[in-house]
Amino acid sequence: MALTAVKGCNDILPGESGRWQYIEQTARRVFELNGFGEIRVPIMEKTELFCRSIGDATDIVEKEMYSFIDKGENSVTLRPEGTAGVMRAFIERKLYAEDPIAKLYYMGPMFRYERPQKGRYRQFHQIGAEITGVNDPLADAQVLNMLTLFFREIGLTEPTLQINSLGCHECRPAYRSTLRGFLEERMDHLCDDCKRRFATNPLRTLDCKVPGCVEMTVGAPSVLDHLCSGCNDHFSRVRRYLDLSSTPYSINSRMVRGLDYYTRTTFEMVTGLLGSQSAVAAGGRYDGLISQLGGPNIPGIGFAMGLERIALLISNQEFASFPDLFIATMGSGERDVAFHLMDGLLKSGIRVEMDYEGKSLKSQMRRADKLKSRYSVVIGENEAATGRASFKRMSDGIQTDIPLTINAIQLLIGKSQQ
RNA sequence: GUGGCUGUGGUGAAGCGGUUAACACGUACGACUGUGACUCGUAUAUUCGAGGGUUCGAUACCCUCCAGCCACCCCA
């Protein structure tokens, strides 16, 4: 194969795109119901934006970014996630000036230079939502309820909500050193990865899969026991609101984030059905991000969900649609008649296919069958002359003789539609 | 970046040193010269991911590369 797609980049073919449209439409409906408006931002940003928001020391920034120098010698990067660009726009376009409370959603491709595997690609797609300007845990709860509603609407009960609190800039550093102290004593028993994590991100040792590490961290101090009173109060109110709305969740005090900007509430929708990619949606609060990017001191909370992963979870559902009518023709003069008829029917919203190339009637009928057309009609000399034709219902072969007019056809097709 | 597995037509695959590269599905056309599905017929890989090597001979054995999948790291 001479020309192939870039590694880890996929084509979504017509047979599959219906599934994607369904996910996107459901998200739009649920998010807009909750008062969110779509924001469309570039898929490319200055590299610096991601370094400053996601964090210089994260894996995303250190090794996964698609960055390059453009002809103006600026370093630009294909966005590895959506929040940074949305917040950049929020600040740059001064959306906060009119209303500090913004509820925004976005969808589109993201890019990370990783080895592809199940449910993870170099170009992947996310749908995300953000609320700015609300400190109150009500915002956290609304976001979580909306996410839960989305999965219910999409027909999935499997992913379950897990929540945690990572504390704030006050209490997290203290917890970090407490945890380090705990780990230091067990250093010798930790795996090599965890020894490295000890330095870079000690919280990550808590969800290491190596049995030895799991064993060693059994009695590890929990973030939730080390929250400051503000964070503690915030987290308990989030839980209260979730209980109030009967939103199912579980607390996972070992849940960690890969991006630096998260504070307080973090959450994931997790599933056991996607191999090692368990998270189908994830997010959290990011109270310091906007000011860190040079904007006003406004809090935020949001999430992103992975379209590929959701598409895998609903891959058993069917989304195909079929023609209402297939017009077969006998000669070139009749094809003119058929084309004119097709045009009129299309303009009145009836989905029609016809033969394009003057094939045999047999071939045309086979095609009508293959396309799963509901009806077919043959237009020959007779029909063209009399203006009447037999419309065949493909499911049972029953033919109905009606005039070749838009109205009559509309009536026939509309009638059996219900 | 690391590891494991796999690469035969549009698809699923058999073949494992000498075959017309089996079979099935799909696709196209036909059997009815005005009607699909079922049935039947015909066609559909000069070539086995690419390049080397071993051999009289390699799709098969060896090496290198490439690609895909899955896993690790990390993550949606």
Side-chain angles (χ1 to χ4, degrees), chain A residues 43-97:
Chain A
I43 62 167
M44 206 164 50
E45 297 279 357
K46 291 178 182 166
T47 300
E48 189 194 354
L49 172 67
F50 300 114
C51 299
R52 280 178 51 188
S53 58
I54 298 168
D56 277 316
T58 58
D59 271 40
I60 293 180
V61 170
E62 276 187 350
K63 54 182 207 191
E64 295 175 1
M65 292 209 301
Y66 263 98
S67 299
F68 58 95
I69 306 296
D70 71 10
K71 292 186 179 178
E73 296 188 351
N74 305 299
S75 177
V76 297
T77 296
L78 264 28
R79 60 180 185 191
E81 59 100 37
T83 302
V86 170
M87 289 307 128
R88 189 228 80 231
F90 177 79
I91 296 164
E92 182 179 353
R93 307 304 167 193
K94 298 186 167 57
L95 300 188
Y96 54 83

Side-chain angles (χ1 to χ4, degrees), chain A residues 120-131:
Chain A
R120 112 182 302 185
Y121 305 98
R122 288 192 175 176
Q123 176 176 335
F124 61 106
H125 298 78
Q126 289 188 334
I127 302 179
E130 321 280 356
I131 300 185

Side-chain angles (χ1 to χ4, degrees), chain A residues 206-273:
Chain A
L206 297 178
D207 69 354
C208 183
K209 291 166 191 119
V210 177
C213 297
V214 175
E215 204 178 307
M216 287 327 298
T217 59
V218 166
S222 161
V223 231
L224 297 177
D225 295 332
H226 292 76
L227 297 178
C228 63
S229 64
C231 288
N232 196 47
D233 181 54
H234 186 97
F235 192 55
S236 57
R237 286 186 60 209
V238 170
R239 277 155 30 207
R240 210 180 79 220
Y241 289 130
L242 291 177
D243 292 337
L244 198 64
S245 16
S246 308
T247 297
Y249 66 90
S250 58
I251 294 170
N252 176 2
S253 65
R254 295 181 169 227
M255 188 169 69
V256 191
R257 298 281 68 166
L259 286 63
D260 282 353
Y261 55 63
Y262 287 111
T263 54
R264 294 192 161 173
T265 314
T266 56
F267 52 88
E268 287 182 4
M269 295 292 300
V270 299
T271 174
L273 303 175

